[in-house]
Amino acid sequence: MSESLINAGRQTLLLELQEASRLPERLGEAFVRAAETVLKCEGKVIVSGIGKSGHIGKKIAATFASTGTPAFFVHPAEALHGDLGMIESRDVMLFISYSGSAKELDLILPRLAEKSVALLAMTGKPRSPLALAADAVLDISVEREACPMHLAPTSSTVTTLMMGDALAMSVMQARGFDEEDFARSHPAGALGARLLNKVHHLMRKEEQIPQVQLTTSVMEAMLELSRTGLGLVAVCDAQRQVKGVFTDGDLRRWLVAGGALTTAVSEAMTRGGITLDANSRAVDAKERLMQRKIAAAPVVDDAGILVGAINLQDFYQAGIL
């Protein structure tokens, strides 16, 4: 029994992969025309389809929307009962129908023509009413569905999804849509946290900043270390320019060497050291700390003035792992 189940599953996958492997060779002038139509669209891409085509259409619309092309899905039945009013001449409709002869098209196609809405078709029938009415036709035909009865849409839904992804990704790249653009569409996700947060969003500010002046004693710097618990103190001149850092390690080395607590911290500090730009991306700043194998750093503005401090835990708490 288990072997027959595995064989049936394997046969399904092999059939779908075989059909999908034919898609790349179909991309030609019609695909370019479809992509250019979407790129030139001044409104939104409205995706529509019924049955399994509709389910796949919802995903394609979501993919467009998250990759820089405003898009939404409209069910054909809802379109015929008022939602056609949402579609304007500056929009593009992408209609998915394997047969290309869904009965709803009899009423939808004339309305689209009246409004001069550009029509793109995904269909398996190049001579269907949908294909003949479309400005560009994307061929999603299959020789065989993976369903053993050749009834349930299986291979054809895979080719539809893949063709939609191919169109969306081509348009995305043509727009120059990048990681930060994607993150702006997903601000609550891990990618948004990684790409949208800047150091100044996460850093410790004002009284939370561990800082002393060059003339401060080692004792006072040690107390500042204890007060903030960040593992370092920024040592600044009178203009708040960071001249070095005083860390737990510096304190230990100073005491082991017999240094006095009354000595100026400038004698015991690590000169220079790493500072982070307040306007840099948090993910880049975190990687810099990791590469240098340090846990915390002062944060400075464009003029080199101390404005904050941050450690690795601050990044982790923000979801930047």
Side-chain angles (χ1 to χ4, degrees):
M1 180 66 173
S2 60
E3 188 64 26
S4 64
L5 291 172
I6 290 173
N7 286 337
R10 184 177 291 122
Q11 181 68 11
T12 299
L13 293 174
L14 289 172
L15 285 170
E16 291 184 346
L17 286 169
Q18 183 179 22
E19 294 294 345
S21 70
R22 298 190 177 99
L23 286 178
E25 64 191 34
R26 297 179 189 172
L27 303 189
E29 183 181 340
F31 184 85
V32 172
R33 192 159 58 249
E36 289 179 343
T37 300
V38 174
L39 285 166
K40 293 174 184 176
C41 176
E42 296 179 353
K44 291 181 171 58
V45 173
I46 295 93
V47 183
S48 191
I50 199 162
K52 304 299 186 294
S53 295
H55 294 310
I56 299 299
K58 290 177 183 177
K59 190 275 178 186
I60 292 173
T63 299
F64 270 121
S66 68
T67 55
T69 299
F72 61 88
F73 177 83
V74 172
H75 192 282
E78 297 295 336
L80 292 174
H81 291 274
D83 283 359
L84 272 174
M86 293 190 286
I87 303 172
E88 302 175 319
S89 60
R90 61 196 189 118
D91 297 329
V92 171
M93 172 163 274
L94 171 59
F95 202 99
I96 306 169
S97 171
Y98 190 85
S99 70
S101 56
K103 65 181 188 310
E104 290 83 2
L105 287 168
D106 294 339
L107 296 173
I108 290 175
L109 293 179
R111 305 292 84 75
L112 296 178
E114 288 173 5
K115 293 186 173 189
S116 300
V117 175
L119 175 63
L120 307 178
M122 280 191 187
T123 182
K125 305 297 181 182
R127 303 304 300 171
S128 63
L130 173 61
L132 294 175
D135 298 290
V137 178
L138 301 177
D139 182 5
I140 55 170
S141 62
V142 296
E143 293 182 4
R144 180 179 176 183
E145 295 286 8
C147 170
M149 298 180 293
H150 307 288
L151 296 175
T154 43
S155 301
S156 59
T157 54
V158 172
T159 58
T160 304
L161 180 60
M162 292 179 68
M163 187 64 80
D165 284 345
L167 183 61
M169 295 302 100
S170 297
V171 169
M172 179 188 77
Q173 292 183 58
R175 291 192 194 282
F177 192 88
D178 61 19
E179 284 184 332
E180 289 200 18
D181 294 318
F182 189 87
R184 291 187 184 95
S185 298
H186 305 73
L191 183 64
R194 283 179 58 81
L195 297 180
L196 296 183
N197 276 319
K198 302 292 179 113
V199 170
H200 67 81
H201 293 136
L202 311 181
M203 70 184 187
R204 306 179 189 207
K205 304 173 184 177
E206 300 174 350
E207 71 277 357
Q208 293 181 313
I209 305 172
Q211 57 183 307
V212 294
Q213 292 196 342
L214 288 164
T215 55
T216 302
S217 69
V218 172
M219 170 65 81
E220 291 174 293
M222 180 180 68
L223 294 175
E224 183 70 352
L225 270 175
S226 300
R227 181 186 73 84
T228 56
L230 197 65
L232 65 75
V233 173
V235 183
C236 305
D237 62 16
Q239 288 73 44
R240 298 192 73 199
Q241 296 271 348
V242 178
K243 298 301 179 181
V245 294
F246 183 66
T247 68
D248 293 328
D250 291 324
L251 176 61
R252 287 193 299 272
R253 285 186 289 272
W254 181 254
L255 294 176
V256 168
L261 293 177
T262 54
T263 303
V265 72
S266 59
E267 298 296 320
M269 72 181 186
T270 298
R271 293 191 173 275
I274 294 295
T275 59
L276 299 176
D277 183 347
N279 291 314
S280 63
R281 292 197 312 174
V283 63
D284 296 332
K286 181 236 176 187
E287 288 304 315
R288 191 176 178 205
L289 293 184
M290 296 287 286
Q291 289 170 3
R292 297 297 293 267
K293 297 181 180 180
I294 56 178
V299 180
V300 298
D301 63 14
D302 293 339
I305 304 298
L306 180 69
V307 292
I310 197 166
N311 71 359
L312 289 175
Q313 191 60 36
D314 296 324
F315 294 108
Y316 298 146
Q317 287 178 350
I320 301 170
L321 305 177

